[in-house]
Amino acid sequence: MAAENDTEQTTPGPSPKAVARAKAFALAHGGSAKAVVENIGQAGARLVLIGEDGALGDVLVADVASGEAVVEAVEQLTAAEWDGETTAALRIGPAHRRKMAGPRAR
């Protein structure tokens, strides 16, 4: 019977740091947030957060499963996809647009 237990794999929970960052973002931006998990290849996954106030944030995690685990662990997050409702919730201001455009736009 010990051999059976040796072959079982336990899935690690979400990163405490990622959970804390996602929860802090949601609380700072209206109390809750939509969360979209995006695969970014070998670098892992990005958990894109959209606060109730339309603020945009993100948390980088090891992989998509880790991102989904963060969403499940943080009660203030609601899993979402890039649909019309999610994109309409974003409120990106001019300062953020300049930052995303890079040095050529400045």
Side-chain angles (χ1 to χ4, degrees):
M1 287 195 192
E4 287 179 28
N5 290 337
D6 291 342
T7 60
E8 288 182 24
Q9 295 180 354
T10 57
T11 304
S15 156
K17 184 177 179 179
V19 168
R21 289 190 62 212
K23 184 175 183 175
F25 176 88
L27 293 174
H29 294 283
S32 68
K34 293 178 181 281
V36 180
V37 180
E38 297 179 330
N39 184 354
I40 55 174
Q42 291 181 348
R46 173 173 279 126
L47 181 58
V48 181
L49 305 171
I50 301 99
E52 284 183 33
D53 62 358
L56 178 66
D58 66 352
V59 177
L60 297 179
V61 293
D63 52 34
V64 171
S66 297
E68 291 169 347
V70 171
V71 175
E72 289 179 25
V74 179
E75 68 182 57
Q76 291 83 3
L77 298 182
T78 302
E81 295 185 19
W82 287 120
D83 56 15
E85 181 181 336
T86 301
T87 54
L90 282 171
R91 301 288 178 259
I92 300 173
H96 187 82
R97 290 180 194 278
R98 281 190 299 277
K99 180 179 177 185
M100 295 303 290
R104 294 181 122 183
R106 293 181 196 143

